[in-house]
């Protein structure tokens, strides 16, 4: 980190820049703060010369949008940028994004500080990244974004910060004619052979990362640099230094045949069956790294807002940028501007350049020169740092972004200053770092570790590998230059060979590609790299050119591409791979606990229709989905939609009305639909069924049992003012809400009873939920949100349960149970026992007497959600993401397990399979499946939703509906039918 430079922007929307964090090939990062709220952010600002290239801008924005959809867990969420200043007409639209600051170290920097990670930390690192990959792959996408610089180590677990090729680029350069040249680091065997990347390609790079984290070097180390590609494609990796317990798994990830590599879910399960978050609980970083993370956080909190920026903020000047220099903010900055710092005065590890939004790298240690990132330690397709501070767009690596998939509202960005590469050197091996007086150091870890003279091979290729230029090829990229983390050269710089330090393998000079056919562009080229970028809006010059056309740029580097002119001119296919009949079937992959089974079917609710409001299973035959526009049915055997009916718009969950009708309650009527075609067989309008209650508003269903449903409703009546006393003026009539609790038979289509109940909060219909049904009565709780202010005050913070007679609806009693709050999760059984959350604990009571029976202690700073009764057991769920089982009779804890979702949130909702052998826990992040008897975690499932960068952000929680030996998992528009026991 260093002081702001003279030409650095000072404002980004609502954020004021405090310091320059680092600089990468495509962007500069700043630590910034919202002066109003005190919120600290990490700003990623695209280099202005790249932001002006349409194809870069579209990719940057698309990746930011997908990053937003992936936010959560091990992916930092973006922040609202606030007001953005208008851009002058003669300037390019700036590109920048903001993410919440999370203290963390890039993997490369962590290795340089403390050396290889211990086995437990390796398991947590690998499991966390594999969990993200499983989400990406579930949507049919490929990440192409793993690299030591895009993976960070925070106090609670790893973070992934880039989700595409831009963030992991070794260099990025705007070319004449609107073209973009990007050079990558990592390659996989299939890329070297000119094949398209797949989900298995991400697993190969994950294997490389884990080997690097386990040894401080990379698994293809022997031999000259010019043979790097051959070794990756043909040689076996060197894994002798990898812990024996992890050696086989990493070797499987590095299999040459993509079909022989494990899936992301398999890797996550084998590394940490309880999940990365569970294994990391209680701390996971070695002491030097934990101290570095804590020190980084303290230093960032101590950063002060430059006086001129503070004044500008007070006057509302959001454009206080270039006029205010770093010299004014920091005395030493002026010297730094006057005398460029030597190259080795800045971290030589390019991995620190691509730090995620929302996660800051640990500062460079005083007196410790950071080792340059080994070329083979840079993933070939490392992702761009998400423009939004979260992961970048996740898309198929072989498919260019469609025109309609480009985001229209990506955040704006300010122009970072162009930086001239400083000169100077420091002798390798002397252990000294040429200190830039304009650079703020944040960590002092003592002398630099001993250097290792053993050369290491790139995970893929050097910065740029050259091949003979074809006569008609586009101009070749200039020679590659080593990336300087804090000073990006404006032009080619002669490669340096800094001494190799522990954790930072020395880079190789540019190596020649192996000779061979280069495809249609001409002979002598090397392997193709599939790296699609979105096409420009304008049509390609040749209207006959297909988006799947492969353009061979023989003179370009194997690790690079050139894009522009409305078509993809890349070393790879610009289209989506299609299955062919002659392609051999992949060999079956090894499966392990933790890997979700293949779904029986997948159903996607049409994007042209509104999102589902309710979902329900009918007779184990239909999945009935209601939305704002209609009700529709999906065949549970095939996942195919059978019918849709507009009459069912905004309907509540469908129920079985006998054996041959589907019952749906809409806002104005009860409907009975044919399960075959959705035709309305019966219709009862509320105005007809409840004629004595004009204007009746029916609330949500409180519950059902067989043919009986219970619901609340209300209507407004005019209450006439009382007759005034003699000589007094008559008062005004007033409107009063009257509310009722109903029982209705949906088979006989008639009202059973109604009873008057207190009206709820405006508009007046109370929200009830049946918590238990007994032979003589039904027990009901009212949602706290629908209580009136007077009722809340009267309750004094305690919730209550009402008992209504089953036959007449008469209110029998209202009781409170211990210190159970208004919001406390509550359920009951047919034997007359209520189970309620009381503080952090779960407590059982006799329903009629309110006598406490037993108590189960919960976890610290958490509370229980609604438990699920299953025979002799009660399955419990907690906000701390713990799921368990206790005995109904005694409250004895049978088992308790974590879903291993990072952080806290609403307690997962619970569902039992038809056989009651499998327990499904669903929350906002994932679905976790347990054996109901002993709590063995069987598998988990995550889905990122739509991969369309222009599509809506998926924020809906998961839901699970079980029937027979199948569980239907829903997240917003996506439905998956998984087999279960």
């Amino acid at each position: 980190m260093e002081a702001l430079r003279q030409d650095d922007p000072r404002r980004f929307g609502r954020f004021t820049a405090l310091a320059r964090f680092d600089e990468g090939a495509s962007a500069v990062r700043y630590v910034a703060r919202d002066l109003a709220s005190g919120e600290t952010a990490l700003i990623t600002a695209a280099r202005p010369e790249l932001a002006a290239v349409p194809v870069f801008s579209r990719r940057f924005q698309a990746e930011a949008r997908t990053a937003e959809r992936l936010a959560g867990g091990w992916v930092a969420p973006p922040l609202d940028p606030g007001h953005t200043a208008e851009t002058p007409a003669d300037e390019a639209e700036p590109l920048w994004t903001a993410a919440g600051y999370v203290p963390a170290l890039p993997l490369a920097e962590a290795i340089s500080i403390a050396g290889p990670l211990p086995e437990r930390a390796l398991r947590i690192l690998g499991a966390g990244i594999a969990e993200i990959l499983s989400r990406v792959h579930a949507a049919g996408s490929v990440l192409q974004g793993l690299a030591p610089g895009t993976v960070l180590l925070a106090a609670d677990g790893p973070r992934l910060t880039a989700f595409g090729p831009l963030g992991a680029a070794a260099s990025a350069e705007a070319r004449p004619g609107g073209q973009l040249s990007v050079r990558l680091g990592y390659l996989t065997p299939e890329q070297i052979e000119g094949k398209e990347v797949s989900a298995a390609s991400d697993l190969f790079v994950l294997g490389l990362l884990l080997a690097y984290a386990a040894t401080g070097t990379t698994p293809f180390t022997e031999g000259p640099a010019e043979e790097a590609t051959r070794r990756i494609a043909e040689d076996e990796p060197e894994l002798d230094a990898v812990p024996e317990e992890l050696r086989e798994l990493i070797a499987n990830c590095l299999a040459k045949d993509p079909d022989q590599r494990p899936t992301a879910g398999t890797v996550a399960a084998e590394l940490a069956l309880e999940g990365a978050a569970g294994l990391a609980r209680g701390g996971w970083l070695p002491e030097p790294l934990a101290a570095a993370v804590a020190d980084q956080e303290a230093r960032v909190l101590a950063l002060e807002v430059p006086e001129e920026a503070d004044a500008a903020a007070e006057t509302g000047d959001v454009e206080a940028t270039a006029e205010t220099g770093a010299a004014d903010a920091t005395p030493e900055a002026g010297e730094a501007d006057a005398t460029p710092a030597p190259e080795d005065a800045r971290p030589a590890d390019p991995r620190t350049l691509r730090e995620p939004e929302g996660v800051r790298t640990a500062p460079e240690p005083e007196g410790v020169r950071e080792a340059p990132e080994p070329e083979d330690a840079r993933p070939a397709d490392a992702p761009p740092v998400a423009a939004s501070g979260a992961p970048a767009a996740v898309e198929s690596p072989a498919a260019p972004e469609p025109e309609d998939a480009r985001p229209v509202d990506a955040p704006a960005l300010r122009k970072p200053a162009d930086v001239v590469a400083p000169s100077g050197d420091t002798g390798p091996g002397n252990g000294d770092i040429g200190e830039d007086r304009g650079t703020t150091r944040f960590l002092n870890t003592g002398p630099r570790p001993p250097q290792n003279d053993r050369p290491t091979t790139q995970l893929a290729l050097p910065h740029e590998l050259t091949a003979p230029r074809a006569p008609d090829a586009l101009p070749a990229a200039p020679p590659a230059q080593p990336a300087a983390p804090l000073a990006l050269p404006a032009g080619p710089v002669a490669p340096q060979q800094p001494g190799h330090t522990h954790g930072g393998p020395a880079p190789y000079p540019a190596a020649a590609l192996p000779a061979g056919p280069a495809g249609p562009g001409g002979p002598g080229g090397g392997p193709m790299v599939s790296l699609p970028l979105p096409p420009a809006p304008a049509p390609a010059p040749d209207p006959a050119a297909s988006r799947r056309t492969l353009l061979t740029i023989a003179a370009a580097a194997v690790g690079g591409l050139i894009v522009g002119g409305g078509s993809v001119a890349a070393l790879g296919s610009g289209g989506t791979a299609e299955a062919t009949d002659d392609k051999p079937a992949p060999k079956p992959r090894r499966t392990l606990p933790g890997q979700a089974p293949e779904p029986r079917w997948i159903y996607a609710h049409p994007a042209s229709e509104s999102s589902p409001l309710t979902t329900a299973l009918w007779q184990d035959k239909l999945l009935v989905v209601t939305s704002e526009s209609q009700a529709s049915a999906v065949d549970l055997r095939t996942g195919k939609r059978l019918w849709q009916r507009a009459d069912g718009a905004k309907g509540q969950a469908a129920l079985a009305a006998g054996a041959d009708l589907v019952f749906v309650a809409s806002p104005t009527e009860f409907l009975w639909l044919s399960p075959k075609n959705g035709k309305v067989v019966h219709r009862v309008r509320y105005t007809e069924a409840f004629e004595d209650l004009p204007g009746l508003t029916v609330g949500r269903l409180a519950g059902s049992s067989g043919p009986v449903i219970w619901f609340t409703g209300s209507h407004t009546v005019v209450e006439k003012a009382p007759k005034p006393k003699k000589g007094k003026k008559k008062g005004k009539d007033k409107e009063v809400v009257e509310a009722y609790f109903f029982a209705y038979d949906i088979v006989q289509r008639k009202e059973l009873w109604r009873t008057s109940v207190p009206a709820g909060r405006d508009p007046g219909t109370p929200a009830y939920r049946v918590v238990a049904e007994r032979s003589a009565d039904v027990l009901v709780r009212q949602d706290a949100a629908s209580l009136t202010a007077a009722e809340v005050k009267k309750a004094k913070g305690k919730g209550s349960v009402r008992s209504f007679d089953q036959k007449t609806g008469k209110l029998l009693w209202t009781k409170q149970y211990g210190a159970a709050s208004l919001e406390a999760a509550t359920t009951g059984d047919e034997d007359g026992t209520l189970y309620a959350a009381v503080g952090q604990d779960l407590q059982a009571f006799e329903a009629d007497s309110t006598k406490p029976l037993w108590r189960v202690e919960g976890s610290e700073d958490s509370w229980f959600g609604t438990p699920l009764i299953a025979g002799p057991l009660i399955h419990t769920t907690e906000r701390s993401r713990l799921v368990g089982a206790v005995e109904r009779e005694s409250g004895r804890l049978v088992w308790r397990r974590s879903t291993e979702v990072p952080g806290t949130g609403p307690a997962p909702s619970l569902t039992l399979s038809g056989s009651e052998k499998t327990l499904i826990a669903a929350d906002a992040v994932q679905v976790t499946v347990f054996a109901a008897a002993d709590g063995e975690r069987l598998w988990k499932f995550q889905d990122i939703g739509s991969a369309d960068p222009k599509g809506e952000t998926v924020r809906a929680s998961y839901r699970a509906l079980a029937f027979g030996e199948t569980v239907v998992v829903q997240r917003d528009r996506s439905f998956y039918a998984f087999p279960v026991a």
Side-chain angles (χ1 to χ4, degrees):
M1 187 152 58
E2 65 177 73
L4 295 172
R5 300 178 185 177
Q6 181 175 356
D7 293 334
D8 281 335
R10 296 304 193 265
R11 296 299 302 273
F12 296 92
R14 63 186 175 99
F15 297 103
T16 299
L18 305 178
R20 173 180 276 244
F21 188 74
D22 66 14
E23 182 171 1
S26 61
V28 179
R29 289 179 179 75
Y30 302 90
V31 177
R33 184 173 296 147
D34 182 347
L35 300 185
S37 66
E39 186 175 31
T40 304
L42 188 65
I43 304 294
T44 298
R47 290 168 51 195
E49 65 271 24
L50 298 178
V53 180
V55 68
F56 177 93
S57 175
R58 289 196 300 274
R59 180 74 184 205
F60 188 92
Q61 296 170 4
E63 291 173 351
R65 290 293 303 277
T66 302
E68 184 179 346
R69 281 197 294 276
L70 279 172
W74 306 123
V75 177
L79 299 178
D80 177 17
H83 171 73
T84 303
E86 294 183 2
T87 304
D90 59 344
E91 294 186 16
E93 182 71 20
L95 291 172
W96 62 270
T97 60
Y101 164 70
V102 177
L105 301 173
L107 174 60
E109 185 174 345
I111 297 299
S112 70
I113 291 174
L117 299 181
E119 181 189 341
R120 178 169 172 268
L122 287 171
R123 288 183 176 275
I124 294 167
L125 170 66
I129 300 305
E131 288 168 4
I132 300 174
L133 289 179
S134 68
R135 297 173 61 195
V136 175
H137 297 167
S141 301
V142 181
L143 182 68
Q144 297 194 88
L146 296 180
T150 65
V151 174
L152 283 86
L153 313 184
D156 58 347
R159 295 292 191 280
L160 186 60
T161 62
F163 294 80
L166 293 184
S171 67
E173 181 182 0
R175 294 293 187 84
Q179 297 176 340
L180 175 68
S181 174
V182 176
R183 294 179 186 83
L184 306 177
Y186 282 173
L187 288 182
T188 62
E190 53 269 28
Q191 288 176 299
I192 292 173
E193 295 174 3
K195 299 177 181 178
E196 293 178 339
V197 295
S198 65
S201 303
D202 286 336
L203 271 299
F204 186 88
V205 179
L206 176 59
L208 293 172
L209 280 179
L210 290 177
Y212 170 71
T215 65
T217 184
T218 50
F220 298 99
T221 57
E222 295 298 336
E226 58 270 16
E227 296 182 6
T229 55
R230 181 196 60 77
R231 289 197 298 276
I232 292 171
E234 300 175 6
D235 290 0
E236 292 301 316
E238 297 180 7
L239 301 175
D240 292 345
V242 173
E244 184 177 356
E245 295 79 2
L246 303 180
R247 201 172 298 156
E248 181 182 358
L249 177 64
I250 294 177
N252 290 339
C253 291
L254 296 175
K256 306 303 181 187
D257 183 357
D259 292 333
Q260 296 301 308
R261 298 170 199 158
T263 64
T266 297
V267 172
E270 187 163 339
L271 289 173
L273 185 58
E274 69 273 40
L279 193 56
R281 194 161 284 144
W284 72 293
L285 292 175
E287 187 174 345
L289 300 184
V293 171
D295 183 78
Q296 180 193 113
E297 181 178 21
R299 299 287 184 172
V300 168
L301 290 175
L303 286 174
E304 296 182 357
V305 178
E307 292 182 4
E308 69 278 10
D310 200 355
E314 293 177 0
T315 59
D317 180 11
V318 298
E319 291 296 334
T321 56
E323 295 80 13
T324 311
D328 299 328
T330 305
E332 299 167 338
E335 301 176 32
D337 291 335
T339 306
E343 284 289 338
D344 58 356
R346 297 174 181 132
D349 192 336
R351 288 169 291 195
T352 62
L353 302 186
R354 287 168 290 284
E355 169 162 313
E357 330 243 305
V359 185
R360 286 203 42 213
T361 55
E364 179 178 358
E366 292 246 11
V368 179
R369 177 181 174 189
E370 257 189 80
E373 178 185 8
E375 296 291 341
D376 56 342
R378 297 177 192 137
D381 289 8
V385 172
S388 65
V394 180
E395 60 187 18
S396 172
E401 180 194 0
E403 291 287 339
D404 60 357
R406 293 173 197 139
V408 295
D409 58 349
L413 146 136
R414 193 70 50 223
K415 290 188 175 182
D418 294 332
V419 183
V420 178
S423 61
D425 58 29
T426 298
N430 63 5
D432 188 21
I433 180 168
E435 185 67 52
D436 180 356
R437 298 184 62 189
T439 299
T440 304
R441 300 292 176 191
F442 283 86
L443 185 64
N444 185 356
T445 57
R448 121 202 226 188
Q451 297 181 354
N452 183 350
D453 295 329
R454 182 187 185 192
T456 55
T457 306
Q458 290 112 336
L459 291 181
L461 297 173
H463 282 294
E464 180 174 11
L465 304 182
T466 59
R469 176 175 176 176
D472 299 330
L474 292 176
Q481 61 242 16
L486 299 179
L488 189 66
V493 177
Q496 298 179 357
Q497 292 297 317
H500 168 57
T501 63
H502 183 68
Y508 280 111
L513 287 177
M528 302 294 107
V529 177
S530 295
L531 178 61
L533 291 184
D542 179 7
S546 166
R547 294 182 69 177
R548 290 185 50 79
T549 301
L550 174 66
L551 303 181
T552 302
I553 313 299
V558 164
L561 56 82
I562 299 176
V563 181
S567 63
V568 177
L571 298 178
S573 169
T576 303
E578 298 176 356
T580 57
D581 294 336
D582 57 351
K583 183 178 180 179
K587 299 178 182 179
R589 288 192 176 99
R590 180 169 55 117
T591 59
L592 290 173
Q595 179 182 358
E598 288 295 322
R600 302 185 194 276
W601 51 257
I602 300 174
Y603 167 71
H605 193 69
S608 59
E609 302 175 13
S610 55
S611 295
L613 295 175
T614 68
T615 54
L617 303 181
W618 181 87
Q619 300 284 50
D620 293 355
K621 296 178 180 179
L622 298 180
L623 171 68
V624 181
V625 180
T626 65
S627 67
E628 292 283 347
S629 57
Q630 63 188 6
S632 57
V634 176
D635 190 332
L636 285 176
R637 297 171 304 167
T638 64
K640 304 296 184 182
R641 179 187 269 196
L642 299 179
W643 50 260
Q644 56 258 25
R645 180 64 56 179
D647 301 76
K650 301 181 182 179
Q652 298 192 49
L655 299 171
D660 54 0
L661 290 177
V662 178
F663 172 82
V664 176
S666 81
T668 59
E669 59 190 351
F670 291 148
L671 298 171
W672 287 260
L673 309 177
S674 166
K676 296 181 180 179
N677 53 24
K679 180 180 179 182
V680 177
V681 178
H682 302 291
R683 185 193 307 267
V684 174
R685 293 182 173 86
Y686 302 148
T687 54
E688 299 170 356
F690 309 100
E691 293 180 355
D692 57 330
L693 301 175
L696 178 69
T697 298
V698 173
R700 75 178 189 205
L701 298 184
S704 65
S705 177
V708 178
I709 62 172
W710 295 283
F711 62 92
T712 54
S714 66
H715 77 135
T716 302
V717 297
V718 176
E719 189 177 88
K720 294 189 175 294
K723 186 177 180 180
K725 294 181 180 180
K726 187 176 181 180
K728 298 291 183 179
K729 187 176 181 181
K730 183 180 179 180
K732 294 183 178 179
D733 297 341
K734 61 180 180 180
E735 293 185 340
V736 177
V737 175
E738 294 181 347
Y740 300 90
F741 185 43
F742 296 85
Y744 191 93
D745 190 314
I746 60 175
V747 173
Q748 299 183 48
R749 301 194 297 282
K750 70 175 185 179
E751 179 183 346
L752 300 179
W753 51 256
R754 79 177 73 159
T755 187
S756 180
V757 295
R761 187 185 297 270
D762 187 58
T765 303
Y768 282 6
R769 184 174 65 86
V770 174
V771 296
E773 181 196 4
R774 303 190 293 183
S775 58
D777 64 353
V778 56
L779 305 185
V780 174
R781 282 263 299 184
Q782 182 174 350
D783 286 358
S786 70
L787 292 169
T788 64
E791 288 175 317
V792 172
K793 183 178 180 180
K794 182 179 178 181
K796 298 181 179 180
K798 294 184 178 181
S800 60
V801 173
R802 295 183 174 99
S803 168
F804 294 92
D805 186 276
Q806 278 271 30
K807 295 183 179 180
T808 65
K810 178 182 178 182
L811 177 64
L812 301 177
W813 48 256
T814 301
K815 299 180 184 294
Q816 294 179 327
Y817 296 86
S821 68
L822 293 168
E823 298 85 8
T826 306
T827 194
D829 60 27
E830 68 283 357
D831 297 330
T833 304
L834 281 181
Y835 310 93
V838 180
Q840 294 183 173
D841 303 332
L842 179 69
Q843 195 164 355
F845 301 89
E846 284 186 354
D848 294 318
S849 67
T850 72
K851 175 185 176 181
L853 299 176
W854 50 255
R855 178 190 296 264
V856 174
E857 292 186 358
S859 53
E860 186 178 358
D861 298 327
S862 184
W863 57 80
F864 282 89
T866 303
L868 180 64
I869 298 172
L873 299 178
I874 302 171
H875 291 291
T876 62
T877 174
E878 299 180 55
R879 179 175 179 267
S880 57
R881 313 301 175 93
L882 292 175
V883 175
V886 299
E887 292 180 349
R888 285 173 62 183
E889 185 69 23
S890 63
R892 184 184 70 86
L893 182 64
V894 177
W895 61 264
R896 181 180 285 173
R897 302 281 187 274
S898 173
T899 64
E900 306 311 339
V901 170
T904 58
S909 60
L910 302 180
T911 304
L912 273 171
S913 64
S915 66
E916 298 191 352
K917 294 181 180 179
T918 304
L919 180 68
I920 302 100
D923 57 30
V925 179
Q926 70 183 30
V927 172
T928 312
V929 178
F930 300 89
D934 58 10
E936 177 189 0
R937 196 182 78 168
L938 303 176
W939 50 268
K940 62 184 178 180
F941 173 75
Q942 296 175 321
D943 169 35
I944 65 169
S946 170
D948 178 8
K950 195 176 180 180
E952 297 178 359
T953 298
V954 179
R955 303 187 186 278
S957 295
Y958 291 89
R959 292 193 62 205
L961 302 94
F963 69 98
E965 297 181 345
T966 301
V967 59
V968 176
V969 172
Q970 176 202 359
R971 193 183 191 204
D972 195 38
R973 299 176 182 273
S974 300
F975 296 81
Y976 303 82
F978 292 105
V980 292

